[in-house]
Amino acid sequence: MHGITLTSAPMDWEILQQEGGSARIHLAGSYHVHPAAIQVGVATATPVVRVMREEDNGTVIPWTSAETVVQGENFTGTFETDLVVPAGGLYRIETSLETRSTLPNLTWLYRGDCVLHVGVGNLFLIAGQSNSAGYSRDFCMDPPSLSVHLFRNRSKWDLACHPMNESTFAGSLANEEMGIPGPSPYLSFGKCYASLTGMPVGLVQTSLGGSPMSRWMPGQGDLYQNMVDKIHQTGGKYAGILWYQGCSDTDPDQAPSYYAHFKAYVDAVRRELGTDIPVFTMQLNRQVNGIHDDCWGMVREAQRRAAQEIPGVYVLPTTNLNLSDGIHNSAQANVVLGEKLASQCYHVLDGGAEYAAPALEVVEAVTGKERKALGLAEEGAWLKLTFTHVKNCFLLYSDLGKDSGFTLEDGQGEVEVLKVRANREDRNIVYLQVAREAGEDARLSFAWQADPVRLPMVDEVTYLPPLSFYQVPLWQQALQAAKP
């Protein structure tokens, strides 16, 4: 064939990670002048490239000569060039061969390969298990958008749509889903984040339903290696990792080690990428009639601690989201979760308005004098809980202790929570009325069981519930709250 043949270029539908508002695109290929032109007489043959906006066919980068050309015999050769393309798209990358004849004023512009539907925006790695891969069994409106593209299990870029974890043409990849997965949170996330930033979003799918932490451990996990392979296939530059996993580790053998294993995963991925990439995580939702309540509490606590103690790790709660079965988020819940995640990423990555879940900071006993001033009942004892990241105040669905999700215990056993109080005057403060004074070894927990409170209190503005916590020493006066 005459003209330009590309040997190295982005894929159709690929999204490239922008850095400082642009991305550098490398192109390489070969060129061949048409035999008829050689017979007429050829003076020069120059590979040229340009970038066009697909929506209006406007020129982004006009025809530009390749930077490096190696000429062979009979006006054949190879070339390489780099383009600095501004954030945005979708773009069409065109190539051509500009040939000048030995005859005066005679030139030809021969055909060349094109790359279609390319965007420059933000890439995110999707990792975790079923609620990350997408397993909603019901349905909702969450259509595709040209602003969100997906690197599929088949190692090809495509327009993003549900199900994201389908395995057509995936061959022997480690990540093959059993059955047909359903909607995930991340198409909704991509559309919302693209709208907030004005740039397209690329999603790189590596999650797998039912996968325990052991399969994500560096050096031994097949899913970790599959993710590393995808990293190398997609350029190795990302805005963040979207991680939602943990249900498979809620057993006595795995739960106590969850924090250490997750930290090892984060450290390994960052070494692989050569950067402290932000990691956006979710606390577990629930399992109806689930077992090992304490293990669910330990995993959620580890997820809270990770956002508190590991720089660049962030967390959102999910305990107020609906299910489509006994353990998987509903399609509607995933759409909402994706929008919440986009707001958090926009705050962290782009300086947008703060978007974070309320997090417990300080627990104090209410003295008799304070109790009287606040008009609190005299029965039992009262605790004052101060939270960070509260936009306005808490909305309580019930003021009964049994409906609150709070549990308290000490060396004598359970301390019954009788009442909960929150209002606009108190803003970020919640008062708990408990049946008796708690001992020095008392520990407080919130929304920690396998199937915790169905209607936890929420921030009146964001409708985010507080982050779950488990076995927090009651008299620890300066709990470090999770980062926004």
Side-chain angles (χ1 to χ4, degrees), residues 165-185:
N165 204 30
E166 54 82 23
S167 301
T168 310
F169 306 128
S172 59
L173 291 175
N175 192 357
E176 290 184 337
E177 193 72 70
M178 295 179 65
I180 301 298
S184 85

Side-chain angles (χ1 to χ4, degrees), residues 252-288:
D253 293 331
Q254 300 300 324
S257 303
Y258 190 85
Y259 178 89
H261 289 166
F262 176 74
K263 187 176 186 304
Y265 165 82
V266 172
D267 291 344
V269 177
R270 288 174 170 173
R271 285 194 300 270
E272 186 71 36
L273 294 172
T275 183
D276 289 338
I277 187 171
V279 182
F280 298 92
T281 70
M282 315 291 178
Q283 273 193 320
L284 298 183
N285 192 341
R286 69 185 67 246
Q287 182 176 14
V288 178

Side-chain angles (χ1 to χ4, degrees), residues 12-84:
D12 291 348
W13 296 104
E14 184 166 352
I15 303 294
L16 297 115
Q17 178 62 44
Q18 60 85 25
E19 296 179 281
S22 64
R24 185 174 295 274
I25 296 177
H26 181 73
L27 301 174
S30 60
Y31 67 90
H32 305 263
V33 175
H34 197 288
I38 295 176
Q39 291 178 5
V40 172
V42 176
T44 61
T46 305
V48 293
V49 299
R50 71 175 181 178
V51 178
M52 309 291 287
R53 270 192 313 273
E54 290 185 329
E55 65 179 1
D56 63 0
N57 211 45
T59 300
V60 178
I61 297 176
W63 286 118
T64 303
S65 298
E67 296 169 336
T68 302
V69 178
V70 179
Q71 186 169 323
E73 297 180 354
N74 294 324
F75 294 99
T76 64
T78 60
F79 72 93
E80 293 188 62
T81 195
D82 288 331
L83 302 173
V84 177

Side-chain angles (χ1 to χ4, degrees), residues 111-165:
R111 60 155 291 280
D113 288 346
C114 292
V115 184
L116 306 175
H117 321 314
V118 173
V120 175
N122 292 292
L123 270 68
F124 294 88
L125 280 165
I126 298 173
Q129 59 183 113
S130 55
N131 275 318
S132 191
Y135 233 86
S136 303
R137 297 173 182 269
D138 55 343
F139 58 91
C140 67
M141 286 297 294
D142 193 20
S145 166
L146 288 176
S147 63
V148 186
H149 300 181
L150 176 67
F151 192 72
R152 295 189 178 275
N153 289 336
R154 65 189 77 173
S155 295
K156 296 290 185 183
W157 281 98
D158 196 0
L159 184 68
C161 67
H162 299 304
M164 291 190 180
N165 204 30

Side-chain angles (χ1 to χ4, degrees), residues 367-378:
T367 65
K369 186 176 180 180
E370 291 174 313
R371 179 188 301 185
K372 186 174 182 180
L374 292 166
L376 300 176
E378 294 187 5

